[in-house]
């Protein structure tokens, strides 16, 4: 018989949870406030922050030493420079050296006088205009990045180019066609039948757009409308090359919130949470503004639109972690812990945020729901392919002649997206390799683009759909540099929760940096990473590396296994 904890012991832990996660006094937010403007190490200030909310020192030191925003040294002026894939591809990473030279500060350090700090981050969502940096919350982009940061050039941050390629947009209706907002939620909640919402989403065949592709209705059903259910809108879009969630949160936050409200209604949830990554300050501000307006218009709060439904929604800022976009790691982050993946079962739909049933849906996923409810699930199911229905936002990087976010139907040939929507590469450059679905998604060579944009078809080619970010590499970037970049991303962003990924990613970087054929050790390393890693992050590294080797052929001999 397994012993159980006394009731008073459980209550003590619950009280601890309340101090760590109570809105308005979140541990992560308190740590972020203390971090700003100080060059001291976390050990110098994190214990006091933890003590201020009634927690032991370790509770503050853990997250403060884990999250990039908290662990990085901060000067009075803090500059975050994107070192992610699209910005790397724009100038083969040379923009980092240019910024260091102009500001006189080495990346990931603070100047001796404590005035200026420079931090390398992985993706700021300006993949269409890179390289990019955030000077405080002011965005700077493009070939003159270093000059902008030095003050010789005005800051430049173009809006995201967005276009519909379907003729009837699901996601971009309010962005490109001015469709009215909040036209579904009032009718749905006053009708008072959550089964109708659940049925329409089930009939639509909608799958999660965050990368895993799990059926949305099945996830909702798994929560069982249990008391205390929480729905989380995952806006922690970390895949370098993708800025679809940023576009939706900035240009159509009401559509995201209406989708969240409908999801809460279908799941019987009275509470929704929107997690926005800190690298998206404008999206964070827009979502908070839209939530406030939604309360003012009666969409949230007690007795919504005169019904017996109550719904409270809050917006939470992330702290800088790629892995924290994974749903169990995201939940750990919301609870004030390090954003590490947790073993499953139990699944979040049974025991998630503070042990409550929790449904985590990606921002783009939620943005599709109002259209589905307005037009019916069967109408949505007729779009896309039979196995993968609906539309998808694809994001084209700066190397394309016409970069931007395009809404396409799933199944659209990748070749059409590259050549017709993106109009090939700019300046007459030649495509050497195309990264699909993020740094751990996969790579395709220029002769392998005759593939439909679906999870199944891309997987058959050794790639992945992911967030559907497309990053083009031209002939000016050496394949060896791309290989090192991928391994460096894996080593930096591994959460460290499991040894295969933590140690394996670093060893892979060493092998890639050696510049020699990896040999049998790579085969053993790939096997351990793929089979023993705790989450998909570590498991996806070997396939991504193999796909890169296939795309470049003999130039990366030995890495294709």
């Amino acid at each position: 018989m397994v012993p159980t904890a006394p009731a008073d012991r459980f209550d003590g832990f619950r009280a601890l949870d309340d101090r760590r996660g109570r809105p308005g006094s979140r541990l992560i937010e308190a740590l972020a406030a203390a971090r700003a403007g100080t060059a001291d190490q976390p050990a110098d200030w994190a214990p006091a922050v933890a003590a201020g909310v009634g927690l032991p020192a370790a509770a503050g030191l853990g997250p403060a030493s884990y999250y990039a925003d908290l662990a990085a040294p901060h000067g009075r002026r803090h500059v975050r420079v994107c070192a992610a894939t699209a910005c790397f591809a724009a100038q083969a990473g040379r923009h980092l050296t240019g910024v260091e030279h102009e500001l006189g500060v080495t990346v990931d350090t603070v100047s001796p006088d404590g005035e200026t700090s420079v931090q390398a981050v992985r993706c700021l969502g300006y993949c269409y205009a890179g390289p990019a940096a955030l000077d405080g919350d002011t965005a700077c982009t493009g070939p003159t990045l270093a000059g902008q940061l030095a003050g010789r050039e005005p800051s430049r941050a173009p809006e995201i180019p967005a276009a519909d390629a379907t003729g009837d947009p699901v996601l971009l209706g309010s962005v490109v066609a001015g469709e009215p907002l909040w036209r579904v939620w009032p009718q749905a909640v006053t009708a008072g039948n959550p089964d109708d919402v659940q049925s329409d989403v089930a009939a639509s065949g909608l799958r999660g757009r965050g990368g895993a592709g799990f059926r949305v209705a099945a996830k909702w059903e798994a929560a069982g409308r249990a008391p205390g259910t929480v729905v989380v809108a995952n806006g922690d879009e970390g895949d370098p090359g993708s800025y679809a969630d940023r576009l939706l949160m900035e240009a159509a936050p009401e559509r995201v919130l209406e989708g969240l409200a409908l999801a809460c209604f279908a799941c019987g949830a009275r509470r929704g949470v929107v997690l926005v990554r800190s690298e998206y300050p404008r999206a964070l501000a827009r979502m908070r503004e839209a939530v406030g307006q939604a309360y003012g218009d009666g969409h949230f709060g007690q007795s919504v639109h005169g019904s017996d439904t109550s719904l409270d929604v809050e917006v939470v800022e992330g702290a800088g972690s790629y892995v924290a976009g994974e749903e169990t790691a995201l939940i750990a982050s919301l609870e004030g812990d390090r954003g590490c993946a947790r073993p499953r079962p139990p699944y979040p739909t049974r025991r998630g945020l503070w042990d409550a049933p929790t449904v985590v849906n990606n921002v783009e996923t939620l943005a599709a729901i109002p259209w589905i409810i307005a037009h019916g699930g069967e109408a949505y199911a007729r779009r896309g392919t039979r196995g993968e229905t609906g539309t998808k936002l694809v994001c084209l990087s700066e190397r394309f002649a016409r970069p931007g976010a395009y809404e396409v139907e799933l199944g659209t040939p990748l070749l059409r997206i590259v050549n017709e929507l993106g109009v090939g590469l700019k300046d007459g450059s030649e495509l050497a390799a195309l990264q699909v679905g993020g740094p751990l998604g996969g790579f395709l060579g220029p002769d392998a683009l005759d593939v439909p944009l679906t999870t199944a078809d891309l997987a058959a080619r050794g790639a992945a759909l992911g967030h559907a970010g497309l990053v083009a590499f031209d002939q000016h970037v050496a394949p060896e540099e791309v290989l090192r970049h991928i391994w460096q991303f894996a080593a930096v962003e591994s959460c460290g929760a499991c040894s295969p990924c933590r140690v394996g990613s670093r060893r892979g970087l060493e092998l890639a940096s050696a510049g020699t054929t990896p040999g049998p050790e790579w085969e053993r390393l790939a096997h351990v990473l793929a089979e023993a890693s705790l989450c998909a992050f570590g498991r996806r590294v070997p396939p991504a590396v193999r796909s890169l080797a296939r795309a470049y052929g003999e130039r990366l001999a030995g890495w294709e296994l």
Side-chain angles (χ1 to χ4, degrees):
M1 182 175 179
V2 179
T4 58
D8 59 346
R9 181 85 175 274
F10 179 83
D11 291 342
F13 283 129
R14 179 59 63 191
L16 180 68
D17 291 348
D18 290 343
R19 287 197 298 273
R20 296 177 70 149
R22 187 175 64 251
S25 61
R26 293 182 181 279
L27 177 61
I28 299 296
E29 293 174 357
L31 289 168
R35 165 81 282 180
T38 176
D40 294 339
Q41 297 296 318
D44 296 325
W45 49 267
V49 174
V53 292
L55 295 171
L61 281 170
S65 60
Y66 172 80
Y67 292 102
D69 292 355
L70 306 178
H74 280 48
R76 292 178 181 85
R77 176 193 183 190
H78 187 60
V79 177
R80 288 177 283 181
V81 185
C82 184
T85 314
C87 289
F88 171 81
Q91 297 182 359
R94 291 187 298 273
H95 66 291
L96 293 171
T97 304
V99 170
E100 289 178 329
H101 176 75
E102 288 287 358
L103 299 184
V105 182
T106 304
V107 168
D108 294 328
T109 67
V110 62
S111 60
D113 59 5
E115 287 295 326
T116 305
S117 54
V118 177
Q119 176 190 1
V121 297
R122 271 77 192 166
C123 203
L124 296 174
Y126 287 89
C127 315
Y128 57 94
L134 284 177
D135 188 355
D137 287 345
T138 300
C140 303
T141 67
T144 63
L145 174 65
Q148 294 173 47
L149 293 172
R152 295 196 313 274
E153 303 276 350
S155 60
R156 175 181 177 272
E159 297 290 332
I160 299 174
D164 170 58
T166 69
D168 182 13
V170 170
L171 302 162
L172 296 181
S174 59
V175 177
V176 302
E179 288 183 1
L181 302 166
W182 292 108
R183 60 176 179 168
V184 176
W185 171 237
Q187 290 80 9
V189 72
T190 53
N193 192 351
D195 288 337
D196 290 344
V197 177
Q198 173 81 23
S199 297
D200 266 333
V201 172
S204 75
L206 177 66
R207 293 180 178 270
R209 298 301 192 228
F214 195 77
R215 285 191 177 273
V216 173
K219 181 180 282 192
W220 291 1
E221 186 177 355
R225 294 179 188 160
T229 296
V230 180
V231 178
V232 178
N234 185 353
D236 196 18
E237 175 184 48
D239 275 355
S242 177
Y243 42 90
D245 290 354
R246 185 189 144 220
L247 169 64
L248 292 169
M249 289 188 288
E250 289 183 6
E254 299 87 355
R255 183 174 292 274
V256 176
L257 292 176
E258 186 172 22
L260 174 62
L262 291 164
C264 288
F265 184 57
C267 294
R270 297 169 59 92
R271 182 184 175 195
V273 179
V274 183
L275 189 282
V276 183
R277 59 198 308 257
S278 64
E279 294 89 345
Y280 289 176
R282 186 178 177 188
L284 181 66
R286 289 287 291 120
M287 290 303 300
R288 285 177 169 162
E289 178 186 352
V291 167
Q293 186 63 48
Y295 272 102
D297 293 341
H299 300 308
F300 299 154
Q302 300 296 312
S303 301
V304 174
H305 293 300
S307 70
D308 58 1
T309 295
S310 297
L311 177 60
D312 285 308
V313 174
E314 61 178 307
V315 179
V316 178
E317 182 179 4
S321 168
Y322 176 81
V323 173
E326 190 272 339
E327 64 177 9
T328 63
L330 181 148
I331 289 169
S333 176
L334 289 173
E335 292 176 343
D337 288 330
R338 295 160 63 94
C340 299
R342 293 172 172 175
R344 290 176 288 187
Y347 292 92
T349 49
R350 290 299 180 186
R351 290 179 57 189
L353 185 63
W354 304 126
D355 288 337
T358 304
V359 172
V360 180
N361 286 144
N362 163 262
V363 159
E364 185 179 339
T365 308
L366 294 171
I369 294 172
W371 192 98
I372 292 171
I373 304 306
H375 296 81
E378 293 182 358
Y380 187 86
R382 288 193 291 270
R383 310 187 67 173
T385 70
R386 185 172 182 179
E388 298 184 39
T389 62
T391 68
K392 182 79 184 73
L393 287 178
V394 294
C395 299
L396 276 58
S397 70
E398 174 270 348
R399 287 288 83 196
F400 285 93
R402 194 164 61 189
Y406 298 87
E407 183 168 358
V408 302
E409 295 208 5
L410 284 168
T412 300
L414 193 58
L415 196 62
R416 183 199 166 208
I417 296 172
V418 170
N419 291 338
E420 295 182 22
L421 301 183
V423 197
L425 271 57
K426 62 173 57 174
D427 302 326
S429 294
E430 298 177 6
L431 180 66
L434 182 71
Q435 183 188 75
V436 185
L440 304 182
F443 293 81
L444 297 172
D447 58 346
L449 302 183
D450 57 336
V451 55
L453 189 78
T454 69
T455 300
D457 289 299
L458 287 169
R461 299 289 183 92
L465 179 63
H467 274 83
L470 304 184
V471 178
F473 286 89
D474 61 25
Q475 73 275 19
H476 298 108
V477 184
E480 296 82 5
E481 294 178 1
V482 183
L483 176 67
R484 282 193 295 272
H485 172 78
I486 297 306
W487 277 113
Q488 185 180 46
F489 177 88
V492 169
E493 291 294 347
S494 172
C495 76
C498 66
S499 297
C501 182
R502 181 182 68 251
V503 178
S505 59
R506 295 173 185 172
R507 182 54 185 154
L509 179 58
E510 292 173 355
L511 291 173
S513 300
T516 58
T517 302
E521 183 177 356
W522 162 228
E523 185 173 358
R524 294 192 297 270
L525 178 61
H527 178 75
V528 172
L529 276 166
E531 298 298 328
S533 293
L534 181 61
C535 76
F537 182 87
R539 294 195 294 267
R540 280 296 310 169
V541 175
V545 171
R546 292 191 194 106
S547 69
L548 178 66
R550 285 194 298 270
Y552 278 108
E554 294 183 359
R555 301 180 70 181
L556 290 180
W559 288 95
E560 72 280 355
L561 292 180

